[in-house]
Amino acid sequence: MAENPLSAGPDPIIAEQAHLDRLRAVIDRLEREESGRISDLLASPTTDLTERDDRIAHHGGRLARLRAARFGLLFGAIQTEEGEWFRIGRIGLADPEGGARLLVDWRAPVSRAFYTATPLHRDGIRARRRISSTGSTVTAVYDEPLILEDLEGAASGPDTALMAALEQPRSAHMGDIVGTIQREQDAIIRAPLPGTLVVQGGPGTGKTAVALHRAAYLLYEHRERLEKSVVLILGPTPTFLDYIGQVLPSLGEDSAVLMTPGTLMPGYEATGVDPEGIAAIKGSLEMARVLSDYIARLQVPAAEPSVISTSGSGTLRVTPAVLGRVRTRIRKLGLGHNAARPRFETAYLAEIIRQENRALAEVVEFLGDAAERRREWAADPAVRAEFARLWPLLEPEAVLRDLLSDERALAELMPGLGEEERARLLRGRDAELTPADIVLIDELSELLGTDPRPAAAARARARRARQREMEYAHGVLDMLSDTTAEEGGGGSFLGVQAMVDRQAETDDRSPAERAAADREWVYGHVIVDEAQEISPLLLRALLRRCPTRSMTLVGDAHQYTASAAGFSWEGLLAPALKTWEMRTLSVNYRTPGTIMELASALLARFAPGEPAAVSIREGAHAPKIHRVPRADLPAAARELARVAAAGNPGTVALIGAHLPALGGVWVGDGDASKGLEFDTVIVVLDPPVDPGPADWARLYVALTRPTQRLHVVVPEDRVAGLSWLPGL
């Protein structure tokens, strides 16, 4: 790149448009080539279908990345100290003819200075250019000299492009920030893969965007490892996942699985809602003990002897003391309950045979082989019934439903809970599952394990079936050989192994699809948004899925609403992790200063002394407070939302409890709005008579969702209790 392409022509927009046109022409050519390769592979005969499918998947993935990169393809450039220019974009591109570098991927090392350089720390570059485009058209160019003597008289300042991006109306889906990543954000995005990274940031600091761009960066930097092991991204709600769902595809990445706590277990989806405070109880580490103790109650529960009547040996009795010793011996193995079932059966049968030996001592020499006797006893219906009674095979969901509907068991296993809390925890056996229940089912799955015998039998059947297929293939090839010899022909045939493999059913799902369906999948990296809300039990579930502890947890301690108890990262992480690194995001890019002034007054009520993130822009619209009679509260809020949706650009949200749907407006409570942002927000401010920290935090979340305008609707009978609210 010896030339300086940015100096070509007096108008930088014209120069960048020409280069963008060239880039898009290269994209068109590469797309045609990839499509052609896929068509050729599909049309060509092959003896190795697996290899062909792998190659099709490779070219299909490349084609998808090329198509995703079209929009916002070119967004920046840097000039090095030596005068060399590099253009920065979504992907790396070279000239197909001469191989010259036309575009550098934003994640490549050379691109880092685009995000980190300042006049005082230039990172080897002397100038930066930010390029905005809509579709295939360049709409604006912002030049930023970084040498101090060149700054005077510069046409645009360092924040011009960022401010322009922040003022753009939002849409129903989150967009990427790849062209406007800031220095403190870039440091987090490019942090090393190993270890647990905690990102604490107030509202609007870009936590979610940083987390998603970190996923894209890690998939680029550690492609070989993470494409196979997959990245798990856990968000708080399905609405949130829908909101962020386009970011990674827009960055050309699809090796990630998006889940919520309610969908963490394959085959389950939570549709219920826990009463206030119950999710926090279910998510405590204490519940792991409760579940373990409840399972233990189902292992050899009888205080009476096990009695078996048979035609050959009469009545055999295994005493409670002996059963207790068997139970203790099996528990010491440390296996899951279901996984231990075969060991229990073996130990129980050994006790039966001992009883039989004592009962028939005078003819013991005629009892036959011990292994054969164990098989006979194991097949006896009375014995099998005792297996099921003394050590039943358990299903996680059934165990949970039994426990939560058993008032006596809850009282005995959770004596520290108050009567009222136990009453709210208790529910009907057919109640809908909640997100906290899914985490409990995951814990139960770990505690129970699986009986290994069905899987072993399936593997044995598969081996026998494959042997039959091999024998069949040998026969076919022998027949073909004979026929060819008779006809005097030649030619090549599939080998026996290849022939069998060709007929075998293959799993053609992508790694991400397989990971989403496998509870025991080990992920290469885990990213959690709104991480302050994850429970200790959910953290355990995530660590099982990522035993390397390679995780990124982003959240805000001041937006914790799961319970009235306080929150700290230390309190969440210390019981499970020995070490972690903390980074802080301190600049609020979303919420204008005029609105943050109001939100900060609220923060001071429930977190005195804690500083709010500093807004990067003041905003053109001061928040508006509306005092209305209580009877008119819902109607007034809906009317404000309707007018905003009709008269203002961008998205509108109506945030409050138990509000009906309104066309064209997002409606939900403070918890549901976490992680989302809207151009205009109408908040119904009607806290409980005696609000706690979680109530204030929920309101804090609501007040910090807007990017432009905020309306706060207050019932007149609550005004006296809201004197802290500026402008009331």
Side-chain angles (χ1 to χ4, degrees), residues 220-235:
Y220 171 88
E221 187 71 7
H222 306 276
R223 175 76 60 193
E224 184 67 22
R225 174 177 173 180
L226 293 183
E227 260 192 343
K228 294 176 181 177
S229 60
V230 188
V231 172
L232 170 62
I233 298 176
L234 190 78

Side-chain angles (χ1 to χ4, degrees), residues 246-332:
Q246 300 304 312
V247 174
L248 282 177
S250 75
L251 296 171
E253 299 297 348
D254 59 2
S255 296
V257 171
L258 275 64
M259 290 183 178
T260 69
T263 60
L264 190 64
M265 280 284 291
Y268 293 91
E269 187 167 1
T271 55
V273 178
D274 280 308
E276 183 77 21
I278 294 304
I281 293 173
K282 289 181 177 179
S284 67
L285 292 178
E286 173 71 2
M287 280 302 297
R289 178 200 59 79
V290 170
L291 296 177
S292 180
D293 288 353
Y294 187 65
I295 291 170
R297 288 176 167 225
L298 305 175
Q299 297 169 347
V300 193
E304 300 174 354
S306 175
V307 180
I308 300 174
S309 297
T310 67
S311 56
S313 301
T315 299
L316 297 180
R317 297 174 82 255
V318 183
T319 67
V322 171
L323 289 172
R325 286 197 297 272
V326 169
R327 178 178 58 196
T328 300
R329 188 160 66 249
I330 301 304
R331 285 179 180 172
K332 284 182 177 179

